[in-house]
Amino acid sequence: LVRESVAMEVLNGTNVILSGQVEGQSHIRFSFQPGEQVPINVAAGAKAILAYCDSDFVDLCIKKKFNRFTANTITSKKKYKEVLEEVRETGIAYDAGERFEDSHAIATPIFNHEGIPVAAVVVAGPAFRMTQKFLSEIVTPIKKTAAEISKRLFY
């Protein structure tokens, strides 16, 4: 449907890891490494998850230093919390070249039976294809997918 790489990021303690992926169909695609720990300040999935977590837990997660990967990387804890508030309002998180300049991602949370965010569905690809038009077109399908997975977790 989206023709780009899709992954699941999962909350593991105060870290987020990539738990699985399906590579996109295009010649140039984003490849995830299952089991890879993702820096929370640059991961769309981490933002989608943490936006719905308790503020004390978020504070615990963001105690570590935020490393800069690109000019777009969020390194300010205050700015990061503002982004989490925006995600909470829209249900969608983005990585706009924050870890790798030439890749973008969009994510939405998955909730368990207690209403706790435990994972996120992430769509990622090269920046030249992950345009605003494309991103706006996949908001509904990605939210629907996350809702279906959440339902299977009895949310």
Side-chain angles (χ1 to χ4, degrees):
L1 177 67
V2 297
R3 302 184 56 85
E4 297 294 347
S5 297
V6 179
M8 183 177 289
E9 291 182 10
V10 178
L11 192 60
N12 181 18
T14 59
N15 299 308
V16 172
I17 60 169
L18 292 163
S19 68
Q21 72 154 354
V22 176
E23 282 191 4
Q25 301 168 338
S26 298
H27 162 82
I28 298 172
R29 58 185 169 252
F30 197 87
S31 179
F32 300 92
Q33 296 301 317
E36 175 186 357
Q37 185 174 314
V38 184
I40 62 171
N41 62 314
V42 297
K47 293 173 197 164
I49 295 166
L50 292 178
Y52 295 91
C53 288
D54 173 84
S55 62
D56 290 337
F57 180 72
V58 171
D59 288 340
L60 182 64
C61 290
I62 66 173
K63 275 189 174 184
K64 18 183 150 158
K65 182 179 184 242
F66 283 176
N67 292 320
R68 178 173 297 284
F69 296 92
T70 73
N72 297 330
T73 302
I74 299 169
T75 57
S76 159
K77 309 292 172 88
K78 181 179 183 226
K79 172 67 176 165
Y80 189 77
K81 285 185 171 185
E82 290 170 4
V83 167
L84 294 183
E85 184 60 38
E86 291 170 18
V87 173
R88 199 171 13 261
E89 291 172 14
T90 64
I92 292 290
Y94 298 95
D95 163 7
E98 295 166 37
R99 186 170 185 197
F100 305 107
E101 282 183 23
D102 54 355
S103 70
H104 288 191
I106 182 173
T108 196
I110 295 169
F111 297 92
N112 70 9
H113 65 285
E114 296 175 321
I116 297 170
V118 293
V121 175
V122 181
V123 176
F128 70 89
R129 282 200 311 260
M130 300 287 285
T131 63
Q132 280 305 120
K133 180 181 183 307
F134 174 81
L135 292 172
S136 66
E137 289 172 353
I138 67 167
V139 166
T140 300
I142 194 174
K143 281 184 172 184
K144 183 178 179 199
T145 299
E148 288 173 2
I149 297 169
S150 296
K151 187 177 178 181
R152 289 179 184 211
L153 296 175
F154 303 102
Y155 174 64

